[in-house]
Amino acid sequence: MEGSSISKTCDPLCSVDERGSDSFKENYKQKTDLWKALTILAFVTAGAAVTNHSWVASHQDLAMASVFTLGYAGIIIEESLAFNKSSVALLMAVTLWVIRSIGAPSVDVAVHELSETSAEVSQIVFFLLGAMTIVEIVDAHKGFKLVTDNITTRKPQLLLWVVAIITFFLSAVLDNLTTTIVMISLLRKLVPDCNFRKLMGGVVVLAANSGGAWTPLGDVTTTMLWIDGHISSSRTIQDLFLPSAISLVVPLALISLSGAIEEREEEVSYSISSEQMAPRGQLVFGVGIASLLFVPIFKAVTGLPPYMGMLFGLGVLWILTDAIHYGDSRCQRLKVPQALSRIDSQGILFFLGILLSVGSLEAAGILKDLANYLDSHISSVELVASVIGIVSAVIDNVPLVAATMGMYDISSFPKDAELWQLIALCAGTGGSILIIGSAAGVAFMGMEKVDFLWYLKKVSGFAFAGYAAGIAAYLAAHHFHDSLSTITAQLPLFSSS
């Protein structure tokens, strides 16, 4: 097995780059050199154009749109180019702000715009940094065994539903990427059959994305909307829980009724790993989960941004782990400094680059022009959100949601408006339609070596059915509530008062 051969020669804490280098050597194809050369040539050409101040000053929108399109293309085909998408995102962000500094009325104006954008983006970056570190600490202590060890069923049909439900609620508290990694690791112990494990992994992706859509902590896009004041935690949970649950239940029911499970009526045989929970693992699990759940409470009580509550929770957990493992040199990997070295810092830098890039487009007024175009051609808010969800199956939902936040003004669409809630639902669940549409899907693809076409044939149809059912459930509930309010207001008892 390829994973076992790597583990024999590579230290468990080795970098992703070392493993990626081995994989690159095995899968190297000479034709990729041509793509790399063309990509580098395109970036050089774009750089040369940027240096032409007079042209950029008079064609700012065209220059920024071209750079953004080129950078986004590089992100989409990063596997073919063997370039890390984080590096492309950072280069794109800097280039766009250079163009903005040239096209703005003055450099001071561009610097002021950059300062405002950086202040907004840094809140999300700090939030992600704190959340990912807390989850990594809990995982290092094997705290999630408290959840996984309680899965004892051997019936394939029941196991499918149990894993999906656990993933759905776990993703709501943590995030869809971390939950997917934890649950796929669990499936390797629960399901030895490779083909059935792939199907179960596809269900994990569906459940993780659906579970992440109905809480501010479950998905980066809902976190972005929440931090920026477009949605509130209470209304999001209240209005999006049922549609999110339906977006999972529908594909689960369809999969259960299909032949995929009926062909495997035999019981699944598995054995849970004998690895022991780290010292005080239950305490760390409890404090870690409590820290995550405390964030919206902290925001409501203090009025401070959510990232402050997340950093507070991280500080508490840091002191706790230092006290628990004081003087024990064998437990260094269980402390926060080691956890910080293991979190997905590349992913954080990718979000930073994308959000800064979208901020430059917003500062230049390009997103506002796009919003006006959509308003004049697509008047339905429901259709706009649905289209965004479909597109998020192909393109990363982070820049899509970031762009939408810049396209529509909060004064026109206030907090918890139908548009923002639908975007949170559609961007989250729409990413399940294709395996490349979400961070959860990409993680599943890498961990289980699942290819694009397999997911398209086995899971995408079920995912789309759930996506459509979730939207229909939200619209039905929303319009029912509006109709009920109208009828109630017309009753004599209420109208007289």
Side-chain angles (χ1 to χ4, degrees), residues 242-254:
L242 180 60
S244 298
I246 289 177
S247 71
L248 174 62
V249 170
V250 168
L252 280 181
L254 293 176

Side-chain angles (χ1 to χ4, degrees), residues 302-325:
T302 65
L304 295 174
Y307 78 91
M308 294 295 291
M310 188 63 72
L311 294 180
F312 176 81
L314 176 59
V316 171
L317 195 61
W318 196 328
I319 292 176
L320 176 65
T321 52
D322 280 350
I324 290 174
H325 305 300

Side-chain angles (χ1 to χ4, degrees), residues 124-392:
I124 300 175
V125 171
F126 289 143
F127 184 93
L128 290 174
L129 182 64
M132 294 171 71
T133 306
I134 290 174
V135 171
E136 177 60 37
I137 285 291
V138 173
D139 188 45
H141 285 78
K142 309 301 178 186
F144 295 113
K145 282 174 62 66
L146 292 173
V147 177
T148 58
D149 284 356
N150 289 310
I151 302 178
T152 58
T153 179
R154 295 175 181 267
K155 298 290 185 180
Q157 284 273 17
L158 183 58
L159 181 63
L160 182 80
W161 284 84
V162 169
V163 169
I165 292 173
I166 290 176
T167 304
F168 180 80
F169 286 102
L170 194 61
S171 178
V173 178
L174 305 180
D175 65 83
N176 51 9
L177 174 59
T178 303
T179 302
T180 300
I181 294 173
V182 171
M183 296 306 294
I184 295 298
S185 300
L186 167 69
L187 287 178
R188 290 176 173 174
K189 305 169 187 176
L190 294 178
V191 185
D193 182 83
C194 180
N195 292 325
F196 186 44
R197 188 169 68 244
K198 283 185 178 180
L199 181 62
M200 293 286 291
V203 170
V204 166
V205 173
L206 295 177
N209 287 332
S210 295
W214 62 278
T215 67
L217 302 177
D219 189 90
V220 176
T221 54
T222 51
T223 300
M224 290 164 53
L225 290 167
W226 177 51
I227 290 177
D228 212 46
H230 292 83
I231 59 176
S232 62
S233 57
S234 58
R235 280 291 303 276
T236 299
I237 295 173
Q238 175 185 334
D239 294 347
L240 295 187
F241 174 77
L242 180 60
S244 298
I246 289 177
S247 71
L248 174 62
V249 170
V250 168
L252 280 181
L254 293 176
I255 292 174
S256 298
L257 295 174
S258 68
I261 304 298
E262 292 178 356
E263 294 174 357
R264 308 180 185 279
E265 283 300 326
E266 69 276 6
E267 292 186 350
V268 178
S269 61
Y270 59 87
S271 60
I272 299 296
S273 173
S274 59
E275 61 186 4
Q276 298 296 317
M277 184 178 293
R280 305 294 194 279
Q282 294 185 7
L283 175 61
V284 172
F285 174 81
V287 174
I289 298 300
S291 298
L292 297 173
L293 296 176
F294 177 69
V295 172
I297 300 175
F298 179 90
K299 182 179 185 297
V301 172
T302 65
L304 295 174
Y307 78 91
M308 294 295 291
M310 188 63 72
L311 294 180
F312 176 81
L314 176 59
V316 171
L317 195 61
W318 196 328
I319 292 176
L320 176 65
T321 52
D322 280 350
I324 290 174
H325 305 300
Y326 177 76
D328 191 346
S329 59
R330 298 171 301 175
C331 295
Q332 291 301 316
R333 64 179 301 274
L334 302 179
K335 296 183 178 181
V336 172
Q338 286 290 327
L340 286 170
S341 68
R342 296 193 299 269
I343 64 174
D344 185 16
S345 56
Q346 295 183 24
I348 293 178
L349 290 175
F350 170 71
F351 293 133
L352 175 64
I354 288 294
L355 294 174
L356 285 176
S357 299
V358 173
S360 69
L361 299 180
E362 181 180 0
I366 296 176
L367 297 183
K368 196 65 178 179
D369 294 339
L370 180 59
N372 293 333
Y373 176 83
L374 290 177
D375 284 337
S376 60
H377 291 80
I378 305 178
S379 57
S380 171
V381 170
E382 295 87 349
L383 186 57
V384 170
S386 300
V387 169
I388 289 174
I390 295 296
V391 176
S392 72

Side-chain angles (χ1 to χ4, degrees), residues 394-432:
V394 181
I395 299 176
D396 193 284
N397 56 7
V398 171
L400 281 176
V401 173
T404 307
M405 289 163 57
M407 286 160 50
Y408 295 97
D409 196 279
I410 193 70
S411 60
S412 302
F413 296 93
K415 178 185 286 189
D416 293 321
E418 182 182 4
L419 172 67
W420 303 124
Q421 291 194 339
L422 268 177
I423 287 175
L425 175 66
C426 294
T429 59
S432 300

Side-chain angles (χ1 to χ4, degrees), residues 94-143:
V94 175
T95 304
L96 286 171
W97 277 105
V98 169
I99 296 175
R100 177 56 186 160
S101 67
I102 297 173
S106 67
V107 176
D108 292 338
V109 172
V111 170
H112 177 71
E113 293 170 344
L114 177 59
S115 299
E116 291 184 341
T117 301
S118 299
E120 296 176 1
V121 170
S122 62
Q123 294 188 36
I124 300 175
V125 171
F126 289 143
F127 184 93
L128 290 174
L129 182 64
M132 294 171 71
T133 306
I134 290 174
V135 171
E136 177 60 37
I137 285 291
V138 173
D139 188 45
H141 285 78
K142 309 301 178 186

